[in-house]
């Protein structure tokens, strides 16, 4: 029984993660002229500096929504506190990392719900990374309580474009169906159509799978899109892009655009996040030296 529970940790999707597109349709709508969706910051404070500076250079206010996994490598007390205090000044939803920091017990491990094709060693390292982060979080009960109260999704109106911000997919906080490996599977096409129809949105903005995706499709004759920013705090697409965030705005982006589209007259773009990479590498190595779990799993990607 113990071995079976250990095998499920990091691969299972807890029932408390599930919501479904009908719940998204019933969610309150918030208005925004410019929306930054920031997924997978992973504790990268220099990237957060860069994102806040990008928002400050926009004409007019910007709504920042952190859609989960803004914690990960920030296992030091100062880094954990600094990042969460800043993120929680903005709008945020939970990722699996945050959901499991506030959870009783460790049955779900990191909460990633990794699919079968992910190597068991990767899953085990992720569970150990999360356990170390959770030990830090337990020393910051005020922040952990706030993380535990975060919603699982959010809904915005940017002009005429209806946006669902999720961490995973339309069904679950840890769903993988908006990932690059699943988004174009023929047997997912009908599910994807229903997800848009039932959620009553034009755009799903997600993260979780750690790889960027932009997929356009027609839903009842109208253009819709899934945009997954991959990771705001790590390089993407084999180093082709640095960290990426999603920007959804009435006006074009004043910043360089990696790729994008227009939906319902609104600009939906992935923006590169050019942070102080040397500073970030030093901060990472201070917590995760060579041969540590995070170094083995992520350092080659962080080097870009």
């Amino acid at each position: 029984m113990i071995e079976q529970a250990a095998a499920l940790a990091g691969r299972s999707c807890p029932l408390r993660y599930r919501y479904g597109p009908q719940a998204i349709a019933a969610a309150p709508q918030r208005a925004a002229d410019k929306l930054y969706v920031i997924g997978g910051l992973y504790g990268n404070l220099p990237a957060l500096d860069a994102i806040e500076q990008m928002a400050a250079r926009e004409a007019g206010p910007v709504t920042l929504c952190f859609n989960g996994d803004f914690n990960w490598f920030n296992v030091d007390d100062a880094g954990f506190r600094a990042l969460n205090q800043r993120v929680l000044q903005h709008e945020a939803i939970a990722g699996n990392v945050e959901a499991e920091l506030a959870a009783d017990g460790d049955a779900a491990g990191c909460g990633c719900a990794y699919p079968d094709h992910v190597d068991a060693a990767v899953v085990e390292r992720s569970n150990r990374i999360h356990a170390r982060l959770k030990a830090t979080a337990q020393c910051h009960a005020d922040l952990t309580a706030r993380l535990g109260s975060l919603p699982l999704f959010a809904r915005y109106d940017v002009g005429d474009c209806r946006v669902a911000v999720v961490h995973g997919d339309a069904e679950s906080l840890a769903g993988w169906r908006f990932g690059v490996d699943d988004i174009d599977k023929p047997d997912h096409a009908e599910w994807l159509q229903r997800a848009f129809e039932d959620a009553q949105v034009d755009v799903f903005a997600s993260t979780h799978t750690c790889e960027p995706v932009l997929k356009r499709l027609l839903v009842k004759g109208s253009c819709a899109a899934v945009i997954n920013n991959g990771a705001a705090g790590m390089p993407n697409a084999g180093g082709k892009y640095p960290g990426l965030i999603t920007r959804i705005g009435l006006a074009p982006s004043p910043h360089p655009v990696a790729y994008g589209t227009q939906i319902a007259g609104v600009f939906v773009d992935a923006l590169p996040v050019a942070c102080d990479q040397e500073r970030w590498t030093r901060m990472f190595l201070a917590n995760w030296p060579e041969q540590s779990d995070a170094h083995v799993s992520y350092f080659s990607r962080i080097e870009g």
Side-chain angles (χ1 to χ4, degrees):
M1 187 66 71
I2 294 173
E3 291 180 0
Q4 183 180 23
L8 289 173
R11 292 203 189 269
S12 62
C13 186
L15 287 175
R16 56 189 160 85
Y17 283 12
R18 300 178 185 271
Y19 41 82
Q22 293 87 354
I24 294 170
Q29 296 158 291
R30 314 174 204 180
D33 291 341
K34 292 177 286 291
L35 175 65
Y36 282 13
V37 183
I38 305 153
L41 187 63
Y42 297 125
N44 187 335
L45 277 165
L48 179 56
D49 291 341
I51 292 162
E52 290 181 336
Q53 290 163 10
M54 291 166 67
R57 293 196 296 271
E58 295 265 5
V62 181
T63 299
L64 273 61
C65 179
F66 291 81
N67 60 325
D69 291 3
F70 39 92
N71 294 283
W72 194 232
F73 302 126
N74 53 322
V75 295
D76 59 299
D77 282 305
F80 183 86
R81 189 149 202 94
L83 183 128
N84 284 287
Q85 284 181 323
R86 287 173 61 182
V87 165
L88 294 173
Q89 292 176 6
H90 302 286
E91 299 181 14
I93 66 172
N96 53 280
V97 172
E98 290 75 33
E100 292 310 310
L101 288 179
D104 293 331
D106 300 310
C110 61
C112 297
Y114 283 115
D116 290 341
H117 65 76
V118 177
D119 186 77
V122 172
V123 181
E124 291 164 7
R125 288 194 295 270
S126 291
N127 289 338
R128 291 194 295 266
I129 292 167
H130 194 277
R132 187 173 165 194
L133 181 67
K134 191 166 184 173
T136 300
Q138 289 171 348
C139 299
H140 301 270
D142 58 330
L143 293 173
T144 305
R146 293 179 66 187
L147 296 175
S149 67
L150 290 175
L152 303 188
F153 52 84
R155 185 181 170 99
Y156 293 89
D157 286 340
V158 182
D160 292 330
C161 186
R162 303 164 300 170
V163 181
V165 176
V166 297
H167 180 70
D169 62 25
E171 299 281 351
S172 166
L173 179 149
W176 286 72
R177 287 182 168 185
F178 290 161
V180 67
D181 293 321
D182 288 352
I183 192 78
D184 284 326
K185 286 182 177 177
D187 58 348
H188 283 182
E190 184 179 345
W191 174 87
L192 193 57
Q193 288 281 330
R194 278 201 320 274
F196 276 96
E197 293 174 16
D198 291 348
Q200 299 175 30
V201 296
D202 306 295
V203 171
F204 277 103
S206 71
T207 182
H208 184 54
T209 62
C210 215
E211 294 180 301
V213 169
L214 174 62
K215 180 177 178 63
R216 281 174 57 99
L217 65 157
L218 286 176
V219 178
K220 291 190 171 180
S222 297
C223 290
V226 173
I227 185 163
N228 180 333
N229 73 298
M234 287 194 291
N236 292 268
K240 181 178 181 181
Y241 305 118
L244 292 171
I245 63 172
T246 295
R247 180 190 185 274
I248 303 172
L250 296 174
S253 171
H255 309 296
V257 173
Y259 52 86
T261 187
Q262 285 185 258
I263 301 293
V266 166
F267 296 87
V268 179
D269 297 311
L271 306 185
V273 178
C275 76
D276 184 339
Q277 184 65 21
E278 289 187 9
R279 178 181 166 224
W280 169 233
T281 300
R282 289 195 303 272
M283 294 174 71
F284 177 88
L285 290 174
N287 283 328
W288 301 102
E290 192 172 347
Q291 297 185 8
S292 65
D293 287 315
H295 195 285
V296 172
S297 284
Y298 295 102
F299 191 65
S300 61
R301 178 171 176 171
I302 287 171
E303 284 191 303

